[in-house]
Amino acid sequence: MVLVGSLLAVLAFLLAWPIPAALSRFSGDPISEVVLWQAVGLSGGLSLIGTALAFAVDPASRNLPEGIWDLIRGQAHTQLTVVAWVFLVIAVLLIGRLLGCLAVTFFSARRTRLRHAEILHLLSEPSATHPDTRIITTDEAVAYCLPQGPRKGTAVLSTGLLEVLPEEERTAVIAHERAHLDFRHDLLVIPFAAWHRALPFFSATAIGLNSVNRLVELMADDHARDKVDPRVLARAVEAAARISSDDRDSLSRRRIERLSQPLHPARIPVRVTAILSAAGLLLIPTLLVFLPITPGS
């Protein structure tokens, strides 16, 4: 188990810094990147917990599940050293914190959406020309969506944005927001928000959350291409960036650049490669956890 724990610790370190740092500099297909980020998060969590458990169980166990089962049945806890007890406590706390933060983040997001919907109903007016769209009065360039169930929700635009956009660009912006709603991009972000809440001291969690927030915008742009001219959406993004006060210039430039060009023809092979890479990344800690080893390893 010492060898397994050491290998898992090395993998956990790689997934906590070098791999996320390299992935954040990748600028390819957004779906491929999200798949890889999900694999990094799952594999990193499994490696981190597996490391603590591997150093906690009986070193003579053939594999990690057998060692954990012996602990549960009470057959090995009397042989635990002080160091093993420390690792066992760390593993239990990690599992509890990760699952707890996931639950808290999910229900907190749901509660926030419900409260936001109530406030939005009071402070906005329904659009006269676009269904499931509400208009808020502000000079800022605001466009976002509020999920309210599978493929349901409300697109929200500001009067400040509407004043600078012609009708076709308004339609393009709404198509972008509807893409977020149709594909429930908010659910893609929640695990990464929970990951960052649980382990804020790991740079990988912040990098992952920021990257996925950026990637879902690019994914929505790609989905909106099916309904509107991407060049029209690019003009809308450029117009919004000119009057926006937030710090998203780099993302706006990236969106405009992508929308001004056709989708890369090699994106499907890239996605297949990303899925295979993600599967391999998940397979490594899984094999280390479940494969039998020589006793004492």
Side-chain angles (χ1 to χ4, degrees), residues 6-7 66 77 93 100 144 172 175 185 230 273 275:
S6 300
L7 292 174
E66 179 184 276
H77 69 278
L93 290 177
Y144 66 93
H185 289 161
T273 302
I275 291 172

Side-chain angles (χ1 to χ4, degrees), residues 16-227:
W17 175 56
I19 292 177
L23 184 55
S24 67
R25 291 191 290 270
F26 179 70
S27 59
D29 175 63
I31 293 179
S32 301
E33 290 186 60
V34 169
V35 168
L36 290 172
W37 273 114
Q38 290 173 325
V40 167
L42 290 172
S43 185
L46 181 59
S47 300
L48 195 60
I49 295 170
T51 298
L53 288 174
F55 287 116
V57 302
D58 185 355
S61 301
R62 287 182 301 176
N63 57 35
L64 193 51
E66 179 184 276
I68 295 172
W69 181 240
D70 288 342
L71 283 177
I72 294 174
R73 291 189 300 172
Q75 294 185 355
H77 69 278
T78 57
Q79 304 173 8
L80 292 181
T81 64
V82 173
V83 173
W85 273 110
V86 170
F87 278 110
L88 182 59
V89 170
I90 291 174
V92 172
L93 290 177
L94 273 174
I95 294 171
R97 182 163 180 81
L98 288 170
L99 294 178
C101 286
L102 180 60
V104 168
T105 302
F106 178 82
F107 287 107
S108 176
R110 183 176 182 275
R111 184 173 61 249
T112 300
R113 285 198 304 269
L114 292 174
R115 180 168 176 77
H116 192 142
E118 294 176 356
I119 297 173
L120 181 65
H121 184 74
L122 296 174
L123 301 180
S124 65
E125 297 291 336
S127 171
T129 55
H130 299 281
D132 299 320
T133 302
R134 299 191 71 89
I135 309 301
I136 57 175
T137 303
T138 176
D139 293 334
E140 297 293 329
V142 176
Y144 66 93
C145 59
L146 189 62
Q148 295 171 327
R151 303 183 72 88
K152 295 180 181 178
T154 303
V156 182
L157 277 66
S158 68
T159 53
L161 182 62
L162 294 177
E163 288 175 357
V164 299
L165 299 182
E167 182 59 30
E168 63 174 358
E169 293 180 14
R170 297 177 187 178
T171 302
V173 170
I174 293 173
H176 170 93
E177 299 303 332
R178 295 305 310 179
H180 282 311
L181 296 171
D182 290 343
F183 293 92
R184 292 307 305 267
H185 289 161
D186 58 302
L187 297 182
L188 286 177
V189 176
I190 285 178
F192 293 93
W195 189 29
H196 183 54
R197 182 194 290 261
L199 303 171
F201 40 84
F202 284 160
S203 61
T205 64
I207 296 173
L209 178 58
N210 292 333
S211 296
V212 172
N213 276 323
R214 170 181 58 84
L215 291 169
V216 295
E217 294 300 323
L218 303 182
M219 290 168 62
D221 284 342
D222 290 346
H223 291 309
R225 288 172 181 261
D226 295 334
K227 298 182 179 180

